């Protein structure tokens, strides 16, 4: 929990008290949802709550002004019961949670770059997989910025409510490319065929770059982790062998010529594991994110609430603005900001390589750097644990 949270908590209270009950977004089937709230400080999580209308929820938010707000993705006969068996499960939305914390090659302290990358992934997930491959209907879809490091896709198609965990896991497994038959998928006109073509070029370049860095380079370690994420038993010796073969002009020309078996049995399986890892919507592969999709009794952040790790608002994204390359793409670092104010708060960075953009003000710096910023930036950096207030 960030230092000075009591002051920040009071600003959360101001935000909720400035609203009318009619301003609060309510998920469909409100009375069948369980609610969970994280308090400020060391208090216990408050869950097993249910609300009948916007007024009751509004009163809770004004009185408790929680650190974070969640509601269940599931529907229950009685969501206020203390055990799942007593609640009476009746179905659940299908949720995809994309979290930038799991992206390869993106610094977690470069927040604008992280948000940009994860928005690209969210659009790709919908545009390359969920709509064309699975036929999911955008009329049942809702897209949101999580208020922190990621984006959510909510699918509320009644035909999907009763999918069990195994069925939901199969969807995630396909998107991740685990066990994907590369030779077959390359021939299909599918999201994966297009992604594999792009992935071949990307991995070839990565292997070529790794060959310049020596046997102990960080790139090799990253490649091994990615392969293991595809359930491949990669080792340092097998990876260095693949890198050596990939630097050969003969192997490269055969690969570009369309051959799928260029690096021998062991090297080829490793190569395609890397292609799948870099061609999938990779953040779905993070354990936490996969669980959100698979778990039929999960909770998800409430649209319109404030995120206690950033001070940003969970914000809906119109479908026509989801594409980062579209005419008017959604900009989380402008549209999810609640707190602004004048630039009169002095902060000191506590970590290195910080980059943040809040209220169109950008800062870059290392531990010890001091800035005078507005309330929104100061709150964001404090809640992230990246900065502290400098008192006179």
């Amino acid at each position: 929990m960030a230092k000075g949270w009591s002051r920040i908590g009071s600003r959360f209270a101001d935000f909720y008290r400035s609203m009318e009950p009619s301003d609060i977004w309510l998920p469909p089937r409100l009375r069948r949802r369980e609610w969970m709230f994280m308090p400020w400080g060391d208090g216990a999580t408050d869950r097993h709550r249910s609300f009948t209308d916007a007024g009751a929820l509004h009163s809770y938010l004004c009185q408790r002004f929680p650190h974070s707000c969640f509601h269940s993705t599931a529907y229950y006969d009685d969501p206020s019961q203390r055990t799942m068996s007593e609640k009476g499960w009746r179905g659940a939305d299908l949720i995809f949670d994309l979290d930038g914390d799991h992206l390869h090659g993106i610094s977690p302290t470069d927040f604008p770059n992280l948000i940009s990358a994860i928005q690209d992934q969210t659009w790709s997930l919908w545009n390359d997989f969920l709509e064309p491959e699975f036929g999911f209907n955008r009329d049942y879809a809702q897209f949101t910025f999580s208020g922190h490091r990621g984006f959510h896709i909510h699918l509320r198609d009644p035909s999907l409510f009763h999918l069990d965990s195994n069925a939901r896991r199969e969807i995630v497994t396909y998107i991740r490319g685990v066990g994907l038959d590369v030779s077959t998928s390359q021939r299909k006109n599918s999201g994966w065929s297009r992604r594999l073509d792009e992935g071949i070029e990307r991995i070839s370049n990565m292997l070529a770059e790794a060959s310049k860095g020596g046997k102990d380079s960080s790139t090799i370690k990253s490649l091994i982790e990615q392969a293991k994420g595809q359930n491949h038993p990669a080792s340092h010796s097998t990876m260095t062998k693949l890198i050596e073969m990939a630097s050969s002009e003969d192997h490269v020309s055969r690969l570009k010529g369309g051959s799928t078996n260029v690096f021998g049995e062991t090297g080829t399986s490793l190569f395609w594991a890397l292609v799948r890892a870099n061609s999938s919507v990779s953040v779905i592969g993070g354990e936490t994110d996969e669980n959100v999709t698979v778990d039929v009794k999960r909770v998800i952040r409430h649209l319109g609430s404030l995120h206690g790790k950033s001070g940003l608002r969970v914000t809906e994204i119109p479908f026509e603005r989801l594409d980062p390359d579209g005419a008017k793409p959604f900009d989380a670092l402008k549209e999810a900001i609640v707190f602004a104010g004048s630039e009169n708060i002095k902060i000191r960075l506590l970590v290195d390589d910080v980059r943040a953009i809040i209220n169109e003000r950008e800062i870059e710096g290392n531990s010890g750097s001091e800035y005078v910023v507005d309330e929104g930036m100061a709150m964001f950096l404090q809640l992230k644990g990246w900065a502290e207030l400098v008192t006179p």
Side-chain angles (χ1 to χ4, degrees):
M1 191 70 65
K3 291 182 179 180
W5 62 261
S6 59
R7 180 185 57 82
I8 296 174
S10 70
R11 296 294 286 134
F12 275 43
D14 292 340
F15 168 74
Y16 290 121
R17 290 167 185 166
S18 71
M19 303 170 69
E20 297 295 330
S22 58
D23 297 327
I24 295 178
W25 180 86
L26 298 175
R29 302 167 186 82
L30 171 67
R31 296 180 181 223
R32 293 187 177 274
R33 305 267 190 180
E34 176 194 359
W35 290 75
M36 183 181 86
F37 303 93
M38 292 177 58
W40 294 96
D42 299 324
T45 298
D46 182 15
R47 62 175 310 175
H48 306 298
R49 286 196 171 263
S50 62
F51 298 98
T52 58
D53 54 40
L57 176 58
H58 180 257
S59 294
Y60 183 99
L61 294 174
C62 290
Q63 294 170 15
R64 303 289 187 92
F65 46 93
H67 172 281
S68 295
C69 311
F70 306 83
H71 61 72
S72 65
T73 63
Y75 316 113
Y76 301 103
D77 289 334
D78 187 351
S80 62
Q81 290 295 326
R82 308 294 294 183
T83 66
M84 289 300 172
S85 59
E86 292 176 317
K87 290 179 188 295
W89 186 87
R90 288 293 175 264
D93 301 332
L94 180 61
I95 306 289
F96 295 90
D97 179 2
L98 296 97
D99 190 341
D101 191 43
H102 299 284
L103 284 172
H104 293 294
I106 302 294
S107 169
T109 56
D110 183 354
F111 201 74
N113 192 28
L114 182 150
I115 292 298
S116 175
I118 203 65
Q119 187 167 348
D120 285 342
Q121 290 276 305
T122 305
W123 170 247
S124 179
L125 174 59
W126 178 263
N127 192 57
D128 291 343
F129 289 102
L130 298 185
E131 187 173 45
E133 298 278 327
F134 294 96
F136 293 150
N137 190 334
R138 72 181 65 169
D139 292 339
Y140 293 110
Q142 184 181 44
F143 308 89
T144 63
F145 167 58
S146 73
H148 190 207
R149 297 177 306 211
F151 293 78
H152 299 156
I153 299 177
H154 305 247
L155 282 164
R156 301 194 181 98
D157 185 337
S159 67
L160 304 175
F161 287 170
H162 295 287
L163 288 178
D164 63 15
S165 294
N166 289 331
R168 295 169 192 244
R169 183 175 285 105
E170 287 183 10
I171 295 172
V172 173
T173 298
Y174 178 81
I175 293 168
R176 289 180 60 197
V178 176
L180 185 72
D181 185 334
V182 173
S183 59
T184 301
S185 298
Q186 272 193 301
R187 293 193 295 268
K188 294 180 180 178
N189 182 22
S190 66
W192 265 111
S193 66
R194 294 187 296 273
R195 282 177 163 268
L196 289 172
D197 288 342
E198 296 169 358
I200 290 171
E201 185 71 23
R202 188 181 304 116
I203 290 300
S204 297
N205 291 336
M206 290 179 68
L207 293 173
E209 187 66 26
S211 68
K212 302 174 184 177
K215 293 184 178 181
D216 296 320
S217 72
S218 58
T219 303
I220 294 178
K221 295 177 182 177
S222 175
L223 289 169
I224 292 172
E225 290 177 3
Q226 293 175 49
K228 288 184 175 179
Q230 290 289 315
N231 296 335
H232 190 284
S235 66
H236 191 275
S237 61
T238 57
M239 188 64 70
T240 53
K241 180 64 175 177
L242 175 61
I243 290 170
E244 290 174 5
M245 288 190 290
S247 64
S248 161
E249 291 185 8
D250 176 62
H251 287 92
V252 172
S253 62
R254 288 167 56 201
L255 185 65
K256 292 182 177 180
S259 175
T260 60
N261 188 9
V262 174
F263 305 110
E265 183 176 348
T266 301
T268 296
S269 67
L270 177 54
F271 178 83
W272 289 117
L274 292 171
V275 171
R276 289 194 300 269
N278 280 264
S279 302
S280 67
V281 181
S282 59
V283 286
I284 286 292
E287 181 179 356
T288 302
D289 309 291
E290 179 175 339
N291 285 342
V292 173
T293 302
V294 172
D295 190 346
V296 296
K297 299 173 183 177
R298 199 77 175 187
V299 294
I300 198 76
R301 285 191 180 271
H302 174 224
L303 175 60
S305 66
L306 298 179
H307 199 303
K309 292 183 178 180
S310 68
L312 304 180
R313 182 179 56 216
V314 183
T315 307
E316 184 169 14
I317 308 168
F319 174 76
E320 62 274 13
R321 301 186 58 209
L322 185 65
D323 183 355
D325 297 319
K328 189 182 178 183
F330 176 78
D331 186 343
L333 299 184
K334 290 182 180 179
E335 300 175 59
I337 295 170
V338 171
F339 302 102
S342 60
E343 294 192 355
N344 57 6
I345 301 175
K346 191 171 185 178
I347 57 93
R348 178 185 300 114
L349 295 183
L350 300 174
V351 298
D352 291 332
D353 301 320
V354 169
R355 178 170 175 255
I357 300 176
I358 300 291
N359 291 325
E360 301 188 25
R361 165 75 187 277
E362 180 175 355
I363 68 165
E364 287 189 72
N366 296 308
S367 179
S369 300
E370 295 185 355
Y371 302 88
V372 176
V373 298
D374 66 17
E375 182 184 23
M377 178 69 85
M379 184 182 295
F380 172 81
L381 293 172
Q382 279 185 277
L383 290 172
K384 291 288 292 177
W386 293 353
E388 62 182 0
L389 295 182
V390 178
T391 55

